[in-house]
Tab-separated table of all heavy atoms in Angstrom:
chain	number	residue	atom	x	y	z
A	1	MET	N	56.171	-69.675	53.150
A	1	MET	CA	55.067	-70.047	54.013
A	1	MET	C	55.044	-69.122	55.222
A	1	MET	O	56.068	-68.804	55.796
A	1	MET	CB	55.231	-71.493	54.476
A	1	MET	CG	54.104	-71.974	55.323
A	1	MET	SD	54.236	-73.735	55.631
A	1	MET	CE	54.248	-73.720	57.386
A	2	SER	N	53.863	-68.674	55.594
A	2	SER	CA	53.738	-67.825	56.766
A	2	SER	C	52.895	-68.512	57.832
A	2	SER	O	52.054	-69.354	57.532
A	2	SER	CB	53.125	-66.478	56.391
A	2	SER	OG	51.814	-66.667	55.933
A	3	ILE	N	53.146	-68.125	59.066
A	3	ILE	CA	52.396	-68.663	60.193
A	3	ILE	C	51.635	-67.511	60.833
A	3	ILE	O	52.194	-66.433	61.052
A	3	ILE	CB	53.334	-69.328	61.217
A	3	ILE	CG1	54.014	-70.531	60.587
A	3	ILE	CG2	52.579	-69.707	62.485
A	3	ILE	CD1	55.035	-71.196	61.478
A	4	VAL	N	50.363	-67.744	61.131
A	4	VAL	CA	49.536	-66.742	61.783
A	4	VAL	C	49.207	-67.232	63.189
A	4	VAL	O	48.782	-68.371	63.373
A	4	VAL	CB	48.240	-66.482	60.983
A	4	VAL	CG1	47.341	-65.521	61.730
A	4	VAL	CG2	48.570	-65.946	59.603
A	5	LYS	N	49.418	-66.361	64.152
A	5	LYS	CA	49.122	-66.677	65.543
A	5	LYS	C	47.915	-65.859	65.969
A	5	LYS	O	47.690	-64.756	65.462
A	5	LYS	CB	50.323	-66.339	66.418
A	5	LYS	CG	50.207	-66.816	67.843
A	5	LYS	CD	51.522	-66.661	68.577
A	5	LYS	CE	51.398	-67.238	69.968
A	5	LYS	NZ	52.678	-67.172	70.688
A	6	VAL	N	47.129	-66.394	66.912
A	6	VAL	CA	45.924	-65.723	67.384
A	6	VAL	C	46.005	-65.571	68.899
A	6	VAL	O	46.316	-66.533	69.608
A	6	VAL	CB	44.654	-66.523	67.007
A	6	VAL	CG1	43.411	-65.831	67.545
A	6	VAL	CG2	44.565	-66.720	65.506
A	7	ILE	N	45.716	-64.351	69.373
A	7	ILE	CA	45.591	-64.119	70.806
A	7	ILE	C	44.180	-63.614	71.083
A	7	ILE	O	43.538	-63.036	70.203
A	7	ILE	CB	46.636	-63.116	71.337
A	7	ILE	CG1	46.526	-61.764	70.629
A	7	ILE	CG2	48.035	-63.691	71.237
A	7	ILE	CD1	47.389	-60.676	71.239
A	8	GLU	N	43.693	-63.837	72.274
A	8	GLU	CA	42.364	-63.373	72.643
A	8	GLU	C	42.503	-62.261	73.678
A	8	GLU	O	43.238	-62.401	74.654
A	8	GLU	CB	41.540	-64.531	73.207
A	8	GLU	CG	40.084	-64.243	73.316
A	8	GLU	CD	39.254	-65.500	73.490
A	8	GLU	OE1	39.735	-66.602	73.164
A	8	GLU	OE2	38.115	-65.362	73.940
A	9	VAL	N	41.810	-61.155	73.446
A	9	VAL	CA	41.890	-60.003	74.342
A	9	VAL	C	40.492	-59.488	74.661
A	9	VAL	O	39.550	-59.719	73.905
A	9	VAL	CB	42.735	-58.856	73.736
A	9	VAL	CG1	44.166	-59.311	73.489
A	9	VAL	CG2	42.128	-58.331	72.460
A	10	ILE	N	40.390	-58.789	75.775
A	10	ILE	CA	39.153	-58.105	76.150
A	10	ILE	C	39.474	-56.622	76.209
A	10	ILE	O	40.462	-56.221	76.822
A	10	ILE	CB	38.635	-58.602	77.510
A	10	ILE	CG1	38.286	-60.084	77.425
A	10	ILE	CG2	37.424	-57.785	77.961
A	10	ILE	CD1	37.956	-60.721	78.754
A	11	ALA	N	38.654	-55.810	75.569
A	11	ALA	CA	38.875	-54.359	75.553
A	11	ALA	C	37.555	-53.642	75.811
A	11	ALA	O	36.487	-54.166	75.510
A	11	ALA	CB	39.450	-53.927	74.215
A	12	THR	N	37.672	-52.438	76.368
A	12	THR	CA	36.479	-51.667	76.709
A	12	THR	C	36.528	-50.264	76.121
A	12	THR	O	37.582	-49.796	75.681
A	12	THR	CB	36.327	-51.547	78.238
A	12	THR	OG1	37.466	-50.859	78.759
A	12	THR	CG2	36.189	-52.903	78.895
A	13	SER	N	35.373	-49.611	76.150
A	13	SER	CA	35.258	-48.228	75.697
A	13	SER	C	34.036	-47.598	76.356
A	13	SER	O	33.057	-48.299	76.643
A	13	SER	CB	35.098	-48.163	74.181
A	13	SER	OG	34.736	-46.859	73.779
A	14	ASP	N	34.096	-46.304	76.571
A	14	ASP	CA	32.929	-45.570	77.064
A	14	ASP	C	32.065	-45.073	75.905
A	14	ASP	O	30.973	-44.557	76.131
A	14	ASP	CB	33.377	-44.363	77.894
A	14	ASP	CG	34.085	-44.770	79.168
A	14	ASP	OD1	33.839	-45.889	79.656
A	14	ASP	OD2	34.885	-43.969	79.678
A	15	LYS	N	32.560	-45.234	74.644
A	15	LYS	CA	31.893	-44.655	73.476
A	15	LYS	C	31.028	-45.650	72.704
A	15	LYS	O	29.867	-45.398	72.436
A	15	LYS	CB	32.925	-44.055	72.522
A	15	LYS	CG	33.719	-42.920	73.122
A	15	LYS	CD	34.765	-42.432	72.156
A	15	LYS	CE	35.655	-41.384	72.797
A	15	LYS	NZ	36.747	-40.975	71.925
A	16	SER	N	31.652	-46.794	72.283
A	16	SER	CA	30.923	-47.707	71.392
A	16	SER	C	31.637	-49.053	71.303
A	16	SER	O	32.781	-49.193	71.737
A	16	SER	CB	30.820	-47.111	69.981
A	16	SER	OG	32.116	-47.045	69.398
A	17	PHE	N	30.941	-50.023	70.690
A	17	PHE	CA	31.572	-51.315	70.421
A	17	PHE	C	32.701	-51.161	69.410
A	17	PHE	O	33.739	-51.808	69.520
A	17	PHE	CB	30.537	-52.331	69.920
A	17	PHE	CG	29.570	-52.789	70.974
A	17	PHE	CD1	28.219	-52.517	70.854
A	17	PHE	CD2	30.003	-53.491	72.082
A	17	PHE	CE1	27.316	-52.936	71.824
A	17	PHE	CE2	29.122	-53.914	73.056
A	17	PHE	CZ	27.768	-53.634	72.933
A	18	ASP	N	32.497	-50.298	68.401
A	18	ASP	CA	33.549	-50.052	67.411
A	18	ASP	C	34.811	-49.528	68.082
A	18	ASP	O	35.922	-49.955	67.766
A	18	ASP	CB	33.089	-49.035	66.360
A	18	ASP	CG	32.031	-49.580	65.428
A	18	ASP	OD1	31.853	-50.816	65.387
A	18	ASP	OD2	31.384	-48.770	64.749
A	19	ASP	N	34.643	-48.606	69.002
A	19	ASP	CA	35.782	-48.032	69.710
A	19	ASP	C	36.461	-49.080	70.595
A	19	ASP	O	37.683	-49.116	70.704
A	19	ASP	CB	35.330	-46.831	70.539
A	19	ASP	CG	36.481	-45.976	71.007
A	19	ASP	OD1	37.336	-45.621	70.163
A	19	ASP	OD2	36.528	-45.653	72.205
A	20	ALA	N	35.678	-49.958	71.193
A	20	ALA	CA	36.244	-51.032	72.008
A	20	ALA	C	37.080	-51.977	71.144
A	20	ALA	O	38.171	-52.399	71.541
A	20	ALA	CB	35.138	-51.802	72.725
A	21	ALA	N	36.600	-52.295	69.935
A	21	ALA	CA	37.362	-53.147	69.020
A	21	ALA	C	38.660	-52.464	68.605
A	21	ALA	O	39.723	-53.099	68.550
A	21	ALA	CB	36.529	-53.492	67.792
A	22	GLN	N	38.590	-51.168	68.331
A	22	GLN	CA	39.801	-50.420	67.976
A	22	GLN	C	40.777	-50.407	69.150
A	22	GLN	O	41.991	-50.535	68.959
A	22	GLN	CB	39.459	-48.984	67.559
A	22	GLN	CG	40.680	-48.168	67.161
A	22	GLN	CD	41.452	-48.776	65.989
A	22	GLN	OE1	40.892	-48.959	64.918
A	22	GLN	NE2	42.725	-49.084	66.199
A	23	ASN	N	40.265	-50.270	70.365
A	23	ASN	CA	41.127	-50.301	71.547
A	23	ASN	C	41.825	-51.659	71.691
A	23	ASN	O	42.979	-51.720	72.113
A	23	ASN	CB	40.327	-49.979	72.805
A	23	ASN	CG	39.922	-48.531	72.880
A	23	ASN	OD1	40.468	-47.679	72.189
A	23	ASN	ND2	38.932	-48.232	73.713
A	24	ALA	N	41.138	-52.731	71.322
A	24	ALA	CA	41.753	-54.063	71.364
A	24	ALA	C	42.957	-54.118	70.430
A	24	ALA	O	44.029	-54.604	70.803
A	24	ALA	CB	40.729	-55.137	70.980
A	25	VAL	N	42.794	-53.597	69.218
A	25	VAL	CA	43.887	-53.596	68.242
A	25	VAL	C	45.007	-52.663	68.692
A	25	VAL	O	46.192	-53.013	68.647
A	25	VAL	CB	43.379	-53.201	66.841
A	25	VAL	CG1	44.528	-53.032	65.866
A	25	VAL	CG2	42.396	-54.242	66.326
A	26	THR	N	44.641	-51.482	69.168
A	26	THR	CA	45.641	-50.497	69.603
A	26	THR	C	46.489	-51.031	70.748
A	26	THR	O	47.722	-50.924	70.720
A	26	THR	CB	44.947	-49.183	70.023
A	26	THR	OG1	44.222	-48.669	68.907
A	26	THR	CG2	45.948	-48.152	70.495
A	27	GLU	N	45.852	-51.622	71.730
A	27	GLU	CA	46.602	-52.143	72.878
A	27	GLU	C	47.438	-53.362	72.488
A	27	GLU	O	48.581	-53.491	72.919
A	27	GLU	CB	45.650	-52.490	74.019
A	27	GLU	CG	45.059	-51.280	74.699
A	27	GLU	CD	46.110	-50.340	75.289
A	27	GLU	OE1	47.026	-50.812	75.991
A	27	GLU	OE2	46.020	-49.124	75.041
A	28	ALA	N	46.878	-54.260	71.669
A	28	ALA	CA	47.637	-55.441	71.238
A	28	ALA	C	48.861	-55.031	70.431
A	28	ALA	O	49.932	-55.641	70.533
A	28	ALA	CB	46.753	-56.377	70.425
A	29	SER	N	48.726	-53.966	69.639
A	29	SER	CA	49.835	-53.540	68.775
A	29	SER	C	51.028	-52.997	69.569
A	29	SER	O	52.108	-52.842	69.017
A	29	SER	CB	49.362	-52.490	67.766
A	29	SER	OG	49.072	-51.265	68.411
A	30	LYS	N	50.838	-52.744	70.845
A	30	LYS	CA	51.956	-52.281	71.684
A	30	LYS	C	52.973	-53.390	71.926
A	30	LYS	O	54.143	-53.115	72.166
A	30	LYS	CB	51.434	-51.744	73.015
A	30	LYS	CG	50.659	-50.447	72.863
A	30	LYS	CD	50.149	-49.948	74.200
A	30	LYS	CE	49.382	-48.641	74.019
A	30	LYS	NZ	48.828	-48.169	75.310
A	31	THR	N	52.532	-54.648	71.836
A	31	THR	CA	53.441	-55.774	72.063
A	31	THR	C	53.473	-56.779	70.925
A	31	THR	O	54.312	-57.683	70.932
A	31	THR	CB	53.063	-56.525	73.366
A	31	THR	OG1	51.700	-56.943	73.279
A	31	THR	CG2	53.246	-55.632	74.576
A	32	VAL	N	52.567	-56.636	69.954
A	32	VAL	CA	52.470	-57.580	68.839
A	32	VAL	C	52.644	-56.821	67.531
A	32	VAL	O	52.043	-55.768	67.343
A	32	VAL	CB	51.092	-58.293	68.861
A	32	VAL	CG1	50.900	-59.138	67.629
A	32	VAL	CG2	50.938	-59.124	70.114
A	33	LYS	N	53.449	-57.383	66.626
A	33	LYS	CA	53.655	-56.774	65.306
A	33	LYS	C	52.887	-57.558	64.247
A	33	LYS	O	52.510	-58.704	64.457
A	33	LYS	CB	55.144	-56.762	64.947
A	33	LYS	CG	55.982	-55.917	65.872
A	33	LYS	CD	57.430	-55.970	65.464
A	33	LYS	CE	58.275	-55.149	66.435
A	33	LYS	NZ	59.696	-55.211	66.091
A	34	ASN	N	52.672	-56.940	63.102
A	34	ASN	CA	52.065	-57.590	61.928
A	34	ASN	C	50.634	-58.065	62.159
A	34	ASN	O	50.242	-59.139	61.696
A	34	ASN	CB	52.927	-58.764	61.443
A	34	ASN	CG	54.314	-58.337	61.027
A	34	ASN	OD1	54.491	-57.271	60.455
A	34	ASN	ND2	55.304	-59.157	61.336
A	35	ILE	N	49.823	-57.264	62.862
A	35	ILE	CA	48.415	-57.628	63.060
A	35	ILE	C	47.714	-57.622	61.702
A	35	ILE	O	47.844	-56.680	60.926
A	35	ILE	CB	47.734	-56.660	64.044
A	35	ILE	CG1	48.342	-56.839	65.442
A	35	ILE	CG2	46.215	-56.893	64.069
A	35	ILE	CD1	47.831	-55.866	66.486
A	36	LYS	N	47.002	-58.690	61.427
A	36	LYS	CA	46.321	-58.847	60.138
A	36	LYS	C	44.804	-58.747	60.242
A	36	LYS	O	44.139	-58.351	59.295
A	36	LYS	CB	46.690	-60.194	59.506
A	36	LYS	CG	48.173	-60.355	59.233
A	36	LYS	CD	48.651	-59.311	58.258
A	36	LYS	CE	50.137	-59.446	57.981
A	36	LYS	NZ	50.658	-58.352	57.190
A	37	SER	N	44.220	-59.143	61.394
A	37	SER	CA	42.768	-59.081	61.509
A	37	SER	C	42.343	-59.121	62.972
A	37	SER	O	43.118	-59.501	63.854
A	37	SER	CB	42.108	-60.238	60.756
A	37	SER	OG	42.408	-61.466	61.379
A	38	VAL	N	41.100	-58.719	63.192
A	38	VAL	CA	40.491	-58.832	64.517
A	38	VAL	C	39.096	-59.419	64.331
A	38	VAL	O	38.344	-58.991	63.451
A	38	VAL	CB	40.460	-57.478	65.268
A	38	VAL	CG1	39.667	-56.444	64.506
A	38	VAL	CG2	39.917	-57.644	66.676
A	39	TYR	N	38.783	-60.420	65.112
A	39	TYR	CA	37.472	-61.075	65.066
A	39	TYR	C	36.797	-60.827	66.408
A	39	TYR	O	37.300	-61.246	67.449
A	39	TYR	CB	37.653	-62.578	64.825
A	39	TYR	CG	36.409	-63.390	65.095
A	39	TYR	CD1	35.324	-63.343	64.226
A	39	TYR	CD2	36.320	-64.215	66.209
A	39	TYR	CE1	34.183	-64.086	64.471
A	39	TYR	CE2	35.180	-64.961	66.465
A	39	TYR	CZ	34.126	-64.889	65.591
A	39	TYR	OH	32.991	-65.615	65.839
A	40	VAL	N	35.697	-60.104	66.389
A	40	VAL	CA	34.970	-59.820	67.619
A	40	VAL	C	34.103	-61.029	67.942
A	40	VAL	O	33.155	-61.349	67.227
A	40	VAL	CB	34.125	-58.535	67.505
A	40	VAL	CG1	33.309	-58.326	68.768
A	40	VAL	CG2	35.025	-57.340	67.239
A	41	LYS	N	34.475	-61.703	69.016
A	41	LYS	CA	33.829	-62.938	69.407
A	41	LYS	C	32.550	-62.681	70.220
A	41	LYS	O	31.533	-63.324	70.011
A	41	LYS	CB	34.838	-63.745	70.232
A	41	LYS	CG	34.412	-65.104	70.643
A	41	LYS	CD	35.568	-65.800	71.334
A	41	LYS	CE	35.102	-67.037	72.058
A	41	LYS	NZ	36.172	-67.629	72.838
A	42	GLU	N	32.633	-61.740	71.159
A	42	GLU	CA	31.494	-61.414	72.011
A	42	GLU	C	31.461	-59.915	72.274
A	42	GLU	O	32.498	-59.258	72.279
A	42	GLU	CB	31.592	-62.135	73.361
A	42	GLU	CG	31.522	-63.627	73.279
A	42	GLU	CD	31.738	-64.296	74.638
A	42	GLU	OE1	32.150	-63.614	75.597
A	42	GLU	OE2	31.501	-65.506	74.725
A	43	MET	N	30.269	-59.398	72.519
A	43	MET	CA	30.101	-57.998	72.887
A	43	MET	C	29.185	-57.944	74.106
A	43	MET	O	28.245	-58.748	74.213
A	43	MET	CB	29.446	-57.198	71.757
A	43	MET	CG	30.237	-57.174	70.485
A	43	MET	SD	29.557	-56.094	69.190
A	43	MET	CE	27.902	-56.690	68.986
A	44	ASN	N	29.476	-57.022	75.020
A	44	ASN	CA	28.555	-56.797	76.129
A	44	ASN	C	28.652	-55.353	76.570
A	44	ASN	O	29.606	-54.654	76.239
A	44	ASN	CB	28.797	-57.779	77.288
A	44	ASN	CG	30.157	-57.615	77.910
A	44	ASN	OD1	30.501	-56.527	78.357
A	44	ASN	ND2	30.939	-58.679	77.954
A	45	ALA	N	27.636	-54.916	77.292
A	45	ALA	CA	27.589	-53.530	77.759
A	45	ALA	C	27.160	-53.510	79.219
A	45	ALA	O	26.353	-54.339	79.648
A	45	ALA	CB	26.618	-52.725	76.914
A	46	ASN	N	27.714	-52.563	79.959
A	46	ASN	CA	27.315	-52.357	81.346
A	46	ASN	C	26.295	-51.224	81.392
A	46	ASN	O	26.446	-50.204	80.716
A	46	ASN	CB	28.528	-52.006	82.210
A	46	ASN	CG	29.466	-53.181	82.345
A	46	ASN	OD1	29.044	-54.310	82.517
A	46	ASN	ND2	30.753	-52.911	82.252
A	47	VAL	N	25.253	-51.427	82.210
A	47	VAL	CA	24.153	-50.474	82.278
A	47	VAL	C	24.008	-49.952	83.711
A	47	VAL	O	24.062	-50.714	84.672
A	47	VAL	CB	22.833	-51.149	81.827
A	47	VAL	CG1	21.652	-50.215	81.983
A	47	VAL	CG2	22.955	-51.650	80.398
A	48	THR	N	23.829	-48.628	83.822
A	48	THR	CA	23.531	-47.982	85.093
A	48	THR	C	22.371	-47.016	84.865
A	48	THR	O	22.404	-46.229	83.918
A	48	THR	CB	24.763	-47.208	85.620
A	48	THR	OG1	25.857	-48.106	85.760
A	48	THR	CG2	24.462	-46.544	86.951
A	49	ASN	N	21.358	-47.099	85.721
A	49	ASN	CA	20.179	-46.234	85.599
A	49	ASN	C	19.593	-46.243	84.182
A	49	ASN	O	19.305	-45.199	83.607
A	49	ASN	CB	20.507	-44.800	86.027
A	49	ASN	CG	20.880	-44.707	87.489
A	49	ASN	OD1	20.342	-45.438	88.310
A	49	ASN	ND2	21.805	-43.836	87.813
A	50	ASN	N	19.467	-47.431	83.623
A	50	ASN	CA	18.879	-47.633	82.289
A	50	ASN	C	19.675	-47.005	81.156
A	50	ASN	O	19.137	-46.771	80.074
A	50	ASN	CB	17.427	-47.132	82.254
A	50	ASN	CG	16.543	-47.865	83.231
A	50	ASN	OD1	16.671	-49.076	83.402
A	50	ASN	ND2	15.654	-47.154	83.898
A	51	GLN	N	20.950	-46.715	81.388
A	51	GLN	CA	21.814	-46.143	80.355
A	51	GLN	C	23.078	-46.999	80.226
A	51	GLN	O	23.644	-47.441	81.234
A	51	GLN	CB	22.232	-44.715	80.729
A	51	GLN	CG	21.086	-43.725	80.791
A	51	GLN	CD	20.499	-43.455	79.420
A	51	GLN	OE1	21.216	-43.272	78.447
A	51	GLN	NE2	19.176	-43.430	79.337
A	52	ILE	N	23.516	-47.213	78.987
A	52	ILE	CA	24.776	-47.928	78.770
A	52	ILE	C	25.911	-47.012	79.206
A	52	ILE	O	26.002	-45.874	78.760
A	52	ILE	CB	24.941	-48.342	77.301
A	52	ILE	CG1	23.872	-49.370	76.918
A	52	ILE	CG2	26.344	-48.904	77.057
A	52	ILE	CD1	23.882	-49.767	75.457
A	53	VAL	N	26.761	-47.527	80.088
A	53	VAL	CA	27.873	-46.723	80.599
A	53	VAL	C	29.224	-47.180	80.066
A	53	VAL	O	30.188	-46.428	80.109
A	53	VAL	CB	27.886	-46.690	82.141
A	53	VAL	CG1	26.663	-45.945	82.672
A	53	VAL	CG2	27.973	-48.087	82.729
A	54	SER	N	29.290	-48.428	79.576
A	54	SER	CA	30.535	-48.886	78.954
A	54	SER	C	30.255	-50.076	78.045
A	54	SER	O	29.293	-50.811	78.236
A	54	SER	CB	31.590	-49.254	79.999
A	54	SER	OG	31.182	-50.385	80.742
A	55	TYR	N	31.115	-50.212	77.049
A	55	TYR	CA	31.015	-51.270	76.045
A	55	TYR	C	32.266	-52.137	76.146
A	55	TYR	O	33.352	-51.616	76.424
A	55	TYR	CB	30.948	-50.672	74.639
A	55	TYR	CG	29.804	-49.714	74.441
A	55	TYR	CD1	29.915	-48.390	74.824
A	55	TYR	CD2	28.621	-50.146	73.856
A	55	TYR	CE1	28.860	-47.504	74.641
A	55	TYR	CE2	27.559	-49.259	73.664
A	55	TYR	CZ	27.689	-47.950	74.058
A	55	TYR	OH	26.657	-47.076	73.880
A	56	ALA	N	32.125	-53.425	75.911
A	56	ALA	CA	33.275	-54.322	75.952
A	56	ALA	C	33.191	-55.344	74.827
A	56	ALA	O	32.102	-55.747	74.412
A	56	ALA	CB	33.345	-55.044	77.289
A	57	VAL	N	34.358	-55.732	74.324
A	57	VAL	CA	34.430	-56.797	73.326
A	57	VAL	C	35.464	-57.826	73.759
A	57	VAL	O	36.463	-57.495	74.384
A	57	VAL	CB	34.796	-56.273	71.917
A	57	VAL	CG1	33.725	-55.341	71.393
A	57	VAL	CG2	36.147	-55.603	71.892
A	58	ASN	N	35.160	-59.058	73.453
A	58	ASN	CA	36.115	-60.151	73.584
A	58	ASN	C	36.527	-60.436	72.145
A	58	ASN	O	35.688	-60.817	71.324
A	58	ASN	CB	35.435	-61.357	74.227
A	58	ASN	CG	36.370	-62.516	74.439
A	58	ASN	OD1	37.420	-62.593	73.823
A	58	ASN	ND2	35.983	-63.435	75.292
A	59	ALA	N	37.791	-60.198	71.826
A	59	ALA	CA	38.221	-60.257	70.430
A	59	ALA	C	39.427	-61.167	70.238
A	59	ALA	O	40.271	-61.284	71.128
A	59	ALA	CB	38.555	-58.853	69.938
A	60	LYS	N	39.487	-61.783	69.063
A	60	LYS	CA	40.651	-62.568	68.669
A	60	LYS	C	41.459	-61.726	67.684
A	60	LYS	O	40.929	-61.286	66.660
A	60	LYS	CB	40.224	-63.885	68.031
A	60	LYS	CG	39.594	-64.831	69.015
A	60	LYS	CD	39.308	-66.174	68.383
A	60	LYS	CE	38.793	-67.151	69.427
A	60	LYS	NZ	38.687	-68.495	68.879
A	61	VAL	N	42.702	-61.494	68.016
A	61	VAL	CA	43.602	-60.695	67.180
A	61	VAL	C	44.574	-61.651	66.510
A	61	VAL	O	45.274	-62.425	67.166
A	61	VAL	CB	44.359	-59.646	68.025
A	61	VAL	CG1	45.324	-58.857	67.174
A	61	VAL	CG2	43.381	-58.706	68.723
A	62	SER	N	44.618	-61.606	65.154
A	62	SER	CA	45.500	-62.481	64.384
A	62	SER	C	46.688	-61.687	63.871
A	62	SER	O	46.534	-60.548	63.409
A	62	SER	CB	44.758	-63.049	63.181
A	62	SER	OG	43.618	-63.757	63.599
A	63	PHE	N	47.858	-62.282	63.965
A	63	PHE	CA	49.060	-61.617	63.477
A	63	PHE	C	50.020	-62.624	62.859
A	63	PHE	O	50.023	-63.798	63.232
A	63	PHE	CB	49.756	-60.821	64.591
A	63	PHE	CG	50.141	-61.631	65.794
A	63	PHE	CD1	51.438	-62.095	65.948
A	63	PHE	CD2	49.220	-61.916	66.792
A	63	PHE	CE1	51.810	-62.833	67.056
A	63	PHE	CE2	49.576	-62.669	67.906
A	63	PHE	CZ	50.877	-63.114	68.035
A	64	GLU	N	50.758	-62.153	61.889
A	64	GLU	CA	51.700	-63.012	61.173
A	64	GLU	C	53.036	-63.045	61.909
A	64	GLU	O	53.548	-62.017	62.316
A	64	GLU	CB	51.898	-62.484	59.751
A	64	GLU	CG	52.621	-63.439	58.841
A	64	GLU	CD	52.594	-62.955	57.395
A	64	GLU	OE1	51.806	-62.052	57.062
A	64	GLU	OE2	53.390	-63.484	56.615
A	65	ILE	N	53.568	-64.239	62.049
A	65	ILE	CA	54.857	-64.425	62.702
A	65	ILE	C	55.957	-64.237	61.657
A	65	ILE	O	55.890	-64.829	60.574
A	65	ILE	CB	54.972	-65.831	63.309
A	65	ILE	CG1	53.840	-66.070	64.276
A	65	ILE	CG2	56.346	-66.082	63.876
A	65	ILE	CD1	54.193	-66.116	65.706
A	66	GLU	N	56.952	-63.427	61.997
A	66	GLU	CA	58.098	-63.240	61.096
A	66	GLU	C	59.023	-64.434	61.207
A	66	GLU	O	59.326	-64.900	62.301
A	66	GLU	CB	58.851	-61.967	61.465
A	66	GLU	CG	58.045	-60.714	61.241
A	66	GLU	CD	58.805	-59.461	61.667
A	66	GLU	OE1	59.916	-59.588	62.212
A	66	GLU	OE2	58.269	-58.361	61.439
A	67	SER	N	59.451	-64.930	60.081
A	67	SER	CA	60.363	-66.093	60.115
A	67	SER	C	61.767	-65.703	59.734
A	67	SER	O	62.063	-64.651	59.292
A	67	SER	CB	59.874	-67.187	59.193
A	67	SER	OG	59.569	-66.684	57.917
């Protein structure tokens, strides 16, 4: 039997929502092992002078606990 734990993180990118999601996984993997999935819960973008200047995601990262 395995146990999966979920943490919620916020990550940003100057490039895209996809890149922000990847940044969430990359940063979480620095302290969490066995990441199995990421669920993007919310997305938002900051706008300056009618241009998107940054992208952000609120994501749930799931990982398996080693027993």
Side-chain angles (χ1 to χ4, degrees):
M1 182 172 123
S2 64
I3 296 176
V4 175
K5 189 170 184 177
V6 178
I7 58 172
E8 194 164 340
V9 299
I10 297 172
T12 61
S13 169
D14 294 335
K15 298 177 185 175
S16 67
F17 289 116
D18 290 344
D19 195 49
Q22 181 59 59
N23 289 343
V25 173
T26 300
E27 288 301 312
S29 70
K30 291 180 180 178
T31 56
V32 173
K33 296 179 182 178
N34 299 323
I35 293 175
K36 300 298 179 188
S37 67
V38 60
Y39 166 73
V40 176
K41 185 175 166 186
E42 296 175 349
M43 299 186 304
N44 63 57
N46 292 319
V47 176
T48 302
N49 296 325
N50 299 321
Q51 295 292 316
I52 295 176
V53 294
S54 66
Y55 303 83
V57 297
N58 182 341
K60 291 186 175 188
V61 178
S62 302
F63 57 99
E64 192 171 345
I65 303 251
E66 294 178 355
S67 49

